[in-house]
Amino acid sequence: MNPHIVDNGIYSQSHHASRDDLRNALDEKRVTFLETPDFWTKLLLTESVPSDTVESIHETVQVHLKKLISLAADRNPLESKMYPPLDAIFRTVKKQNNSSRVWKDHHTKYPGVDSGVFISGLHGKDPASTQLSSAHSEKSDGRGRAKRLKVEGRIPTSINPEGSDGGASSDDDDDDSYRARKTPSQFGKPSRVFDPRKPDYILLDTDYQGCCPEKPLWRQIAVIMELKALRSCAPSPAGPGSSLIVQCTDYARLHMSLRPFQRFSILFSLCGTLFTAVLIDRVGVIISNNVDISKPSGVRTFIRALVRVTCNMSIYDLGMDPTVSLNETSAMGDSNIPRFVVTVPSKASKTIHAYITRGIPIWQSSSVFGRGTVVWNVDELSTTSKSVTPEGIEKSQDESNTLPNSSLILKSAYRNKERIGESEFYRAIQSAKIDGLAVFRAGGDIHWDLDSTKLQKDKPTLNTDAAESRDCTNSSVAISTALHRTQLGLKVDEDSIAHRLVLESKGKRLSEYENLCGLLNAVLACVKGHEALYANGILHRDISIGNVFISDSDHSVPSATQGFLADLDMAKVYDEAKLAGLIGEESAKLLVKSTTGSITGTAQFMSLSLLYEHANQDDVEPAERPIVPMTSRIIRRNPQASQPPQPANSPLHDLESFVWVLFYALCLKEMDSKPSLSERETYCRKYFIDIFGMLSFRETMERHTSIMRLILDSNRPNNTWKRNCISDADAWPVLEDLMQAASAGTLSYKEFKDTLQFHIEQLKQVDPAQP
């Protein structure tokens, strides 16, 4: 696998490094151009739209089509003039077909997210806010001149000092008029921020009452359309890394991250008179042939495509996992995130259990290519004595059907077909009952019964002939990247398979800790679990905020662990003999598998040495680690001038990741504790984003190196920064000791545990009531 394609959540367009990373991913192996009508006819099924419907719409919108064609023929075409005629076309399509979806011009605003959700590289505001702007970016006006748009972004602390005004402007009120965009002279000096690329048009799912969202969220978007005034901007096989494709791919990154259980995203582009469809999934990009709306056949394809996505296609046709259904009285356009009924296979291959999500995800990946990991708190749905199967899961099930005290953890992700499923890993070692490791309940690869019509209200219109040609039995087909690609006759070399599992361990996010002592106890339990795995030949390799939990079990039981570690998807058996001593030779052989490369993990939490390695892949010599003074209270050693690269099987990378996860949880807790929206916005922009919101491996490396030096340099007057970043003074000595050991390359299991235990005892002396 391309080493750039890691679950790091850093892909965006503004900085050169992240833009280049994305272009490297969009090489000829990942971008497929279909210069035939197959995309339109086989995937969008445009021919299913009745001809009389097409002709009726065509007759009504002729004047608006002529306007678009004349605009494209202009010597200096302006993108802003394309909106009024397109609005008229969209209104006609909706009126003619009584659609429940609505097209909305959103080019002057930025879609929001649900309260409490944070996606790296998304924006510099509070996760609960929408439609807010605080920075600037440049975009061509079609005549070669740069004009500056107000966009969502972060303002680095170096140029936005404490007390400065980084708030929103009244220009971003929820108003869909075609307002004039400001000129560069009307803004201050532009700062180095990322450009989140507001979509020009978004097709929104309505709420349960059929109302269009007033302030659209990413998860409410069904389809995105991008406008360009020039025909030359249209995608072509000669330019797989063109700006438009990169831009659409970045949209898809956010769309698939924030729209639950989304398998792929469909986007349209209209460049002058050239209309194009784009499908982006976890493997790559598929681009249709360009159709010219100035020609009779092209304009009819254009109308048919709009009718299909606006009126006819279900949420499943537009990319949602068909094994997931919406809870009763829920819709994708609801203002509050819906509850989803999710199926999970048990150990018995023909037995399926159903669970219902609770609230927002605990964690979701924000990369476009890769595993697409999402973690939820779920409740098990009550069942009769019979096994629950897809045919038996009704959309009407609601919270009253959940079992009492049934809060569990569900994880969905796509696995490389060359790797065994994570559930197999858990099953193999669950008899060992490793303390500090999540307890496995059920899971496996996800299959969809093509004959089932009760799982969801709107069944996907899948080409069953193509589906049944896959490796499946009877009417069951695996949910994979190839499921929709086979409809287009495409060969999938890097197929990924949907895998889902449920953990019995009840837990909550680290940032939901009640006191610092409880947080440290939870991390200590997870480190011990990691050590036990490593002692038995298994290296975790993906320590992130979504994999480390505070136990929500009964802590009054002496044997109950304070925290637990999950996610063995990227785990590696580095010593088969050690593992065989734990689970036997036969079971150990089943777990020895290929890996996705030496660099794994999530960028925000990677060790600095791995970040250096990833940011400098082409360097002959690895970059040196930062040199900082040693001030540890626990164990004092003289740091070496530079640390040699750690072996791939060393646990030190994961141990350093635990430190950054702890820091992340403390910062997130600090932000959530702010009493007002404006205070949370300010904190998010000036501290949280500045530490954990970098958009490339290199930027993450540089910023984390700087942060580590800032924390450990006792000669720098940084008390104000520390106090404002984390107000809990007791937390800083813990971070200083752990970061010092990490910077010196001495962060062993013993030192990590001793450090945490020391500070836990110190906290208990001050407050004996601490757990």
Side-chain angles (χ1 to χ4, degrees), residues 189-258:
K189 184 178 180 180
S191 57
R192 185 172 182 263
V193 298
F194 75 93
D195 178 2
R197 299 286 187 175
K198 303 171 185 178
D200 290 326
Y201 270 101
I202 51 180
L203 178 62
L204 295 170
D205 281 309
T206 55
D207 64 17
Y208 186 72
Q209 302 297 329
C211 299
C212 179
E214 292 184 5
K215 293 185 176 181
L217 307 177
W218 276 101
R219 67 166 170 81
Q220 297 166 333
I221 299 175
V223 176
I224 295 171
M225 179 181 284
E226 185 64 17
L227 305 182
K228 302 293 181 185
L230 299 174
R231 289 169 54 97
S232 59
C233 294
S236 69
S242 70
S243 296
L244 179 60
I245 298 176
V246 172
Q247 188 172 347
C248 289
T249 306
D250 201 28
Y251 288 153
R253 176 184 75 85
L254 297 174
H255 189 230
M256 288 193 287
S257 298
L258 295 167

Side-chain angles (χ1 to χ4, degrees), residues 9-23:
I10 62 171
Y11 292 132
S12 191
Q13 284 203 77
S14 53
H15 298 315
H16 293 298
S18 56
R19 188 164 55 233
D20 289 344
D21 280 350
L22 191 51
R23 284 203 169 99

